[in-house]
Amino acid sequence: MEHLEHPERPRPSGGPAERPDDGSGPQAYGSPPPPEARTATAPTPATASASPDPATAAITAAYRVISRPLGRILPALSELLAGPVPHLAAAELSTHCSYAPFKTYGPEPVTARLTHADLAPLLASGVAGRPWQGTLRLAGADRPVLAVRSDATPRGAVLVLVREEGAAPVDAGALALAQALWDLVTAHYERLAAEAVPGALTRSLTAAGTRSRVLAELGEDQAATLTGLLGVLRSRRLDDGAARAAAVELTVAKLVELRARTERDQDIAEEAADQAFERLADSLRPLVRYNPVRLELAGPDDARLLPAGLADTARAVARSVLLTVLEQDRVGRVQVGWRIDGEELRVTVRDDGPGELSARALAPARVAERLDVLGGRIDLDAVPGWGTTVTAALPLRTTTPHPDPAPSPLTTLGERELEVLTRLARGHRNRAIAEELHISESTVKFHVANILTKLGVGSRGEAAALYHAAA
């Protein structure tokens, strides 16, 4: 885990070198300053002739926190809270951000072992507005913590301050301060997420899409491996020793295949159809090696180049359907085939089972969603007593027979603005909207002004009419 020193504090001798931060990057930061160097309020500006009153100091301090780049907000918040809530390290789990939802700040012995999983239960069980103090098993030790949850973002966010052993409980005033600051920070996060600048939004969406694809592929690989292992363990043709040896062989082969595929996929942009099917065949054979089901493979006699994304989708669909088919009783034979028919790649999985498979059985594998992304479709033909045939068709080229409809004007609005507009269109006044969304009335007015500007209308009534027309 990489650590960065705070930019306003000299780097300790021998510490890690400082690196510039683009506002979305590193997930871990340097250590908080020593207690004597920390303060709960921002320094008085040099131009001020007298110390500001407490309210002004608090507002100035809060402003200094949220005005930092995204990657520097947690360190600034930690240092601001170090006076009223002394702590060793800070961590946050903020669901608004797909790029780096989990961040830490503090000394490496503590933060290096903190994980997303440590904070997830606190996010799930915490109550907004009611900070929790207690002892948790974190970073390999029982540590006192203060957990503060905010619901200023739709799925919530949690701040955890890791405290020293034997630290005195935090008083009510400090708890209220921590809650107010975290609500302010998360509301700021939500605004940035709802109205993200193109660069940050693109980076976050790309990260989310990549993460989703990788998780889906890992899940399929794991399911395929486990299915193969179950086939070994259930086989009546193998004794215990032979079953163990076969299971080890299967697992090692799968690990080698995964590593090789990772290296290979980094450079592949297109694949020949016959070679792409061979890769599928290699991944399917272990699933039935020790299974009484006979697997028949019928690949295309065609070396036409397929886009890598299309080939990956075709393999994923075939494997997902096969795994679903193998869960049926009384299946003795399954045929998996690919065929290029005109401008379509057709993936077929046919079994001789009970013929009772339904489209609902394929839903958990998200087969239809995968195909829909590439403009594909799926057909299922089940004949009781005769078996089931599942056919997926993927177009080799994307075509647009009709011009796309004009985009809805509502697409220019952020998530929070849409929430405000929805209520505005129902005839709710600003005060009612503020109460429903747990924001101030002035914030609602700010959103309404933005909505009118973005939609190019001059009144709330016109904005409501546009909403109803697009809904």
Side-chain angles (χ1 to χ4, degrees):
M1 183 175 293
E2 187 177 10
H3 293 261
L4 297 180
E5 295 297 326
H6 195 278
E8 296 183 357
R9 185 173 70 256
R11 181 165 56 87
S13 174
E18 183 177 341
R19 241 177 30 173
D21 181 17
D22 65 359
S24 62
Q27 295 181 312
Y29 311 92
S31 306
E36 63 272 12
R38 309 181 209 173
T39 177
T41 58
T44 304
T47 56
S49 58
S51 298
D53 63 84
T56 302
I59 293 173
T60 303
Y63 168 75
R64 287 180 180 273
V65 172
I66 64 173
S67 63
R68 297 295 179 87
L70 281 177
R72 291 296 180 187
I73 287 180
L74 182 62
L77 180 61
S78 173
E79 294 182 9
L80 181 58
L81 288 172
V85 187
H87 55 277
L88 297 172
E92 70 170 270
L93 182 56
S94 302
T95 55
H96 72 285
C97 180
S98 299
Y99 185 69
F102 175 67
K103 301 181 181 69
T104 62
Y105 173 64
E108 187 170 344
V110 179
T111 59
R113 299 181 63 183
L114 281 175
T115 67
H116 180 290
D118 292 326
L119 272 63
L122 296 172
L123 176 61
S125 61
V127 178
R130 293 172 56 185
W132 178 82
Q133 306 184 68
T135 301
L136 290 177
R137 188 73 177 176
L138 294 176
D142 292 328
R143 301 178 185 274
V145 301
L146 172 64
V148 186
R149 178 187 166 111
S150 173
D151 281 347
T153 60
R155 290 181 292 166
V158 65
L159 169 71
V160 174
L161 302 178
V162 182
R163 312 190 67 212
E164 294 184 358
E165 185 176 355
V170 181
D171 61 38
L175 292 178
L177 174 64
Q179 181 70 61
L181 285 170
W182 186 233
D183 284 339
L184 176 66
V185 167
T186 52
H188 177 61
Y189 284 159
E190 171 61 15
R191 172 68 184 277
L192 291 178
E195 301 180 14
V197 295
L201 181 60
T202 300
R203 183 167 55 248
S204 185
L205 290 176
T206 300
T210 301
R211 181 177 291 113
S212 176
R213 178 179 60 80
V214 170
L215 287 176
E217 291 177 355
L218 288 175
E220 289 166 0
D221 285 328
Q222 185 180 34
T225 302
L226 292 176
T227 300
L229 290 175
L230 282 175
V232 171
L233 298 175
R234 289 173 176 172
S235 176
R236 297 180 179 179
R237 295 179 293 171
L238 301 174
D239 58 27
D240 290 349
R244 283 196 298 272
V248 170
E249 176 189 356
L250 178 63
T251 304
V252 170
K254 189 62 179 177
L255 287 173
V256 171
E257 193 272 334
L258 281 174
R259 290 169 183 162
R261 192 188 71 175
T262 299
E263 295 174 357
R264 184 171 57 227
D265 285 353
Q266 289 177 348
D267 299 320
I268 289 180
E270 292 181 320
E271 295 181 76
D274 52 355
Q275 295 177 4
F277 183 81
E278 279 305 312
R279 289 182 60 189
L280 170 65
D282 290 342
S283 71
L284 297 185
R285 292 188 182 99
L287 303 184
V288 296
R289 182 177 299 168
Y290 303 101
N291 194 302
V293 174
R294 185 170 81 253
L295 176 65
E296 299 176 357
L297 300 168
D301 186 17
D302 194 322
R304 188 182 314 188
L305 292 178
L306 304 176
L310 184 142
D312 285 339
T313 298
R315 280 191 291 264
V317 167
R319 183 164 54 184
S320 297
V321 173
L322 177 60
L323 290 173
T324 303
V325 164
L326 292 177
E327 292 175 1
Q328 302 177 104
D329 296 327
R330 306 190 308 278
V331 175
R333 179 174 64 88
V334 179
Q335 183 185 71
V336 178
W338 280 16
R339 179 166 59 91
I340 295 180
D341 184 7
E343 293 301 319
E344 285 187 336
L345 172 64
R346 301 178 70 85
V347 180
T348 303
V349 180
R350 181 180 294 110
D351 70 63
D352 63 353
E356 299 172 353
L357 196 67
S358 66
R360 182 177 298 179
L362 298 175
R366 301 178 64 185
V367 173
E369 289 89 337
R370 289 177 179 274
L371 294 171
D372 187 59
V373 171
L374 297 179
R377 66 185 188 280
I378 187 166
D379 297 311
L380 187 148
D381 182 18
V383 181
W386 291 88
T388 303
T389 300
V390 179
T391 304
L394 285 159
L396 299 182
R397 291 187 299 179
T398 302
T399 59
T400 308
H402 302 289
D404 292 334
S408 167
L410 302 187
T411 58
T412 62
L413 303 182
E415 183 176 344
R416 179 64 84 184
E417 291 169 342
L418 281 173
E419 292 176 344
V420 171
L421 178 58
T422 300
R423 289 158 176 80
L424 182 152
R426 295 172 185 164
H428 296 186
R429 309 310 299 171
N430 288 351
R431 178 173 297 180
I433 296 174
E435 291 175 354
E436 290 180 36
L437 298 180
H438 305 290
I439 57 179
S440 69
E441 194 170 346
S442 61
T443 301
V444 174
K445 293 179 182 178
F446 175 80
H447 285 310
V448 171
N450 279 346
I451 291 169
L452 299 182
T453 300
K454 289 184 177 182
L455 297 182
V457 297
S459 69
R460 297 164 67 98
E462 292 180 63
L466 271 179
Y467 173 83
H468 290 299

